[in-house]
């Protein structure tokens, strides 16, 4: 996953949260519930993608630091 994927997931979460909100107003609670769950799943996927990118950057910085200290 990449940061682009995280962005897409967050956009999907926004959409699903809005649909859920509208469904609540329309008293379509089953549909609201489903969309709230899918919004949460998209947020979780985005968070995971961001975490992976942070770990990758931390590892790159550590490797850069290690190689410069060996010189």
């Amino acid at each position: 996953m990449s940061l682009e994927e995280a962005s897409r997931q967050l956009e999907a979460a926004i959409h699903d949260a809005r649909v859920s909100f509208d469904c609540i107003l329309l008293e379509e609670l089953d549909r609201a519930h489903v969309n709230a769950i899918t919004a949460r799943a998209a947020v979780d996927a985005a968070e995971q993608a961001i975490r992976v990118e942070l770990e990758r950057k931390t590892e790159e910085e550590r490797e850069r630091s290690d190689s410069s200290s060996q010189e």
Side-chain angles (χ1 to χ4, degrees):
M1 274 200 210
S2 66
L3 292 180
E4 290 174 6
E5 179 63 19
S7 294
R8 282 191 292 275
Q9 291 294 334
L10 289 173
E11 287 289 335
I14 290 166
H15 171 77
D16 288 339
R18 285 183 180 145
V19 170
S20 184
F21 177 82
D22 290 341
C23 289
I24 290 169
L25 293 177
L26 297 170
E27 296 184 13
E28 295 181 19
L29 299 183
D30 286 338
R31 192 169 165 215
H33 185 240
V34 168
N35 280 281
I37 290 169
T38 58
R40 178 56 195 232
V43 168
D44 289 347
E47 187 271 334
Q48 178 64 22
I50 293 167
R51 181 183 306 163
V52 166
E53 184 66 16
L54 283 170
E55 290 172 358
R56 186 189 66 75
K57 286 188 175 199
T58 299
E59 184 61 29
E60 277 181 6
E61 290 172 6
R62 186 177 300 123
E63 288 173 2
R64 231 180 285 129
S65 176
D66 289 348
S67 67
S68 65
S69 66
Q70 292 175 357
E71 292 176 1

